Amino acid sequence: MLIQQAMLLAGTVTDIRVGARIEEMGQDLEPRRGEIVLDAQGGTVLPGLHDHHVHLRSAAAAMDSLMLGPPRIRTRDQLAEELSKARPNIDGWIRAIGYHESVAGELDRAVLDAMVARVPVRVQHRSGALWILNSAALRRLGMAEHPDGRLRASDRWSEALQRHHADLTELSRRLTAVGITGVTDATPDLDADDMVSLMVAHRHGEFRPQLSFLAPGKKILHDDRLDLESLTGWIADQHADGRPVAVHCVTGAQLVVTIAALRAAGGHPQDRIEHAAVVDDDNLTDLADLGVTVVTQPNFVAERGDQYLAEIPAAEHAALWRVASVRKAKVRMALSTDMPFGRGDPWAAMRAAVHRTTPSGAVLGADECVSAPEALTMFLGYADQPGRPRSVDVGQPGDLCVLAAPPATVLAELDAGLVAATIIGGILAYPAD
């Protein structure tokens, strides 16, 4: 493919010949016989965006699932009404996502049974770490005696239920439409069969973006199970096998224990901290010293910020979803959306990093705002080195995002609607025609 009249972020206008890698750049390149020509008309051309922390099967399944949490559902009555009128999917289940305790407290099988008794219902907590099932669902799984129907995803209680094999084609279309050319699946305990299945879907064109995986070096922590000795041993074992680790830290306690474990076990240059939702000032130097990469999601400020303001003490607000302070501490950093637990729009995540605005318009953590170029750059990292941005240069991967506006407009708006074309491996992935 030959892209003509492309404007790079630095303002240079150039033509770009691209295959699996960028082959040639310069002025007035002549099309070759049979070569597809795309006129960028002075629009911006970037390296394709990479979402560094997603859950693909869950995201595909979420497209045909009920949303049972804020802001759509806020009360027990709304929850009951939504479930009562729901119809099962083709597999016979009612599948729901996004639940939060602010709606109706701690959900369990008894509460769900009162709303839907005969059809299997499974409700995923918005954290992704908990499923709540009604009695019909528990009977279908051979777990009729389970006391409350509250099942941790990390307990591997039902691989069949967690592997919801939804069609990836529509998810692929949505991702490429916003300029994404690669994703890293962060699903915990993803096994070889899961990864092979996703790679086959990529090879056959069902899922177009490039694929990377955190498993088997991903670990989710829970505050009621924090064990420094066990975590240190697991990290040491992963490093001994030549693998980096990615540790899920959504509380301050989890981050402190992870820092201690990494210090004790020794580091790997590609170790990652996922989320880092709460980072105290004392942890900033520790993260820099360890050489880890932090992959975080400021989009949650835009999606859930009003709940944080209402439920978390004001003295703790400054520690939430930090970006600017982490970068100033010289910690390697990348952004992601945590789709489907976050909304999956990288441009919205960039805007959140720049403005830190909650749904009501309040600003949460003004000192953590970064510039638009910084926010954009944190979606341009390599899959195995998220904190190292790719560039549009000869020899770089042939994964590009073409936008219908010059750089000044792109950086001012950070809007997915500006994406005109997405190219993966030198092949037009969006628009499909």
Side-chain angles (χ1 to χ4, degrees):
M1 174 179 285
L2 179 64
I3 306 172
Q4 296 179 326
Q5 291 298 298
M7 184 173 287
L8 307 183
L9 275 178
T12 306
V13 177
T14 184
D15 297 344
I16 306 169
R17 176 164 283 117
V18 58
R21 292 193 172 272
I22 297 174
E23 299 172 1
E24 188 178 7
M25 295 176 64
Q27 299 291 331
D28 302 319
L29 297 181
E30 289 294 323
R32 295 171 179 168
R33 183 179 179 86
E35 188 171 53
I36 294 173
V37 178
L38 174 64
D39 185 358
Q41 300 181 329
T44 307
V45 176
L46 305 167
L49 307 184
H50 192 102
D51 197 333
H52 294 283
H53 184 118
V54 302
H55 305 272
L56 289 177
R57 292 291 185 189
S58 293
M63 291 188 297
D64 62 2
S65 299
L66 298 174
M67 171 55 71
L68 292 185
R72 187 168 180 273
I73 303 295
R74 294 187 179 276
T75 68
R76 181 184 289 262
D77 287 345
Q78 289 175 338
L79 175 69
E81 180 183 2
E82 194 70 16
L83 283 173
S84 67
K85 68 184 182 183
R87 295 293 175 263
N89 294 331
I90 193 170
D91 61 2
W93 289 76
I94 294 173
R95 187 181 192 278
I97 60 173
Y99 183 77
H100 185 260
E101 289 79 8
S102 61
V103 174
E106 284 203 351
L107 212 57
D108 61 20
R109 70 184 292 174
V111 175
L112 289 178
D113 286 348
M115 298 176 183
V116 182
R118 297 185 178 182
V119 179
V121 176
R122 54 193 186 194
V123 179
Q124 188 176 39
H125 191 272
R126 77 175 186 185
S127 68
L130 176 71
W131 287 88
I132 307 97
L133 279 65
N134 71 350
S135 295
L138 291 166
R139 285 195 297 272
R140 181 170 289 199
L141 295 176
M143 301 175 67
E145 303 305 315
H146 195 278
D148 57 14
R150 293 170 61 84
L151 307 172
R152 288 182 188 245
S154 60
D155 288 341
R156 307 291 288 177
W157 42 270
S158 173
E159 294 185 11
L161 183 53
Q162 293 188 71
R163 294 179 190 169
H164 181 96
H165 288 285
D167 181 15
L168 292 166
T169 305
E170 174 59 18
L171 178 63
S172 175
R173 187 200 67 77
R174 294 186 188 189
L175 292 176
T176 56
V178 298
I180 289 177
T181 60
V183 297
T184 297
D185 194 303
T187 305
D189 300 320
L190 207 65
D191 64 23
D193 289 343
D194 296 324
M195 288 185 274
V196 168
S197 172
L198 288 167
M199 288 188 289
V200 168
H202 173 65
R203 190 159 55 246
H204 290 172
E206 179 186 353
F207 186 78
R208 303 294 296 276
Q210 311 283 9
L211 280 169
S212 297
F213 304 98
L214 290 187
K218 168 80 182 289
K219 173 77 77 174
I220 291 183
L221 302 181
H222 302 279
D223 279 2
D224 60 349
R225 299 185 187 179
L226 290 178
D227 183 331
L228 175 58
E229 183 177 353
S230 175
L231 181 60
T232 301
W234 175 80
I235 293 172
D237 289 344
Q238 295 293 317
H239 288 171
D241 290 337
R243 288 193 295 262
V245 298
V247 186
H248 173 289
C249 295
V250 295
T251 68
Q254 291 169 13
L255 183 60
V256 168
V257 171
T258 298
I259 287 170
L262 286 167
R263 284 199 182 282
H268 185 289
Q270 294 176 349
D271 284 342
R272 297 169 44 147
I273 302 291
E274 306 301 309
H275 308 303
V278 180
V279 180
D280 291 325
D281 288 341
D282 293 344
N283 300 141
L284 293 170
T285 301
D286 295 325
L287 293 171
D289 290 345
L290 288 168
V292 297
T293 297
V294 169
V295 178
T296 193
Q297 298 84 30
N299 48 297
F300 287 126
V301 171
E303 295 169 22
R304 306 176 184 175
D306 290 329
Q307 281 184 274
Y308 299 149
L309 291 173
E311 298 170 7
I312 296 174
E316 300 174 19
H317 290 173
L320 296 174
W321 300 109
R322 302 179 81 167
V323 180
S325 296
V326 179
R327 286 177 61 82
K328 287 175 185 174
K330 307 301 182 186
V331 178
R332 292 193 293 267
M333 195 169 208
L335 301 184
S336 72
T337 66
D338 198 16
M339 175 187 70
F341 310 111
R343 289 193 185 132
D345 180 351
W347 300 94
M350 293 178 215
R351 293 195 300 273
V354 172
H355 302 296
R356 307 282 300 190
T357 306
T358 73
S360 68
V363 175
L364 175 58
D367 291 341
E368 297 303 326
C369 295
V370 296
S371 68
E374 286 179 291
L376 175 58
T377 297
M378 285 187 279
F379 271 103
L380 303 183
Y382 290 86
D384 60 347
Q385 298 180 69
R388 178 188 165 207
R390 290 166 291 130
S391 59
V392 180
D393 286 303
V394 172
Q396 288 286 305
D399 304 327
L400 299 171
C401 174
V402 182
L403 298 118
T409 302
V410 170
L411 293 171
E413 298 184 10
L414 295 175
D415 188 347
L418 293 175
V419 175
T422 302
I423 297 159
I424 300 175
I427 297 172
L428 192 65
Y430 172 83
D433 57 359

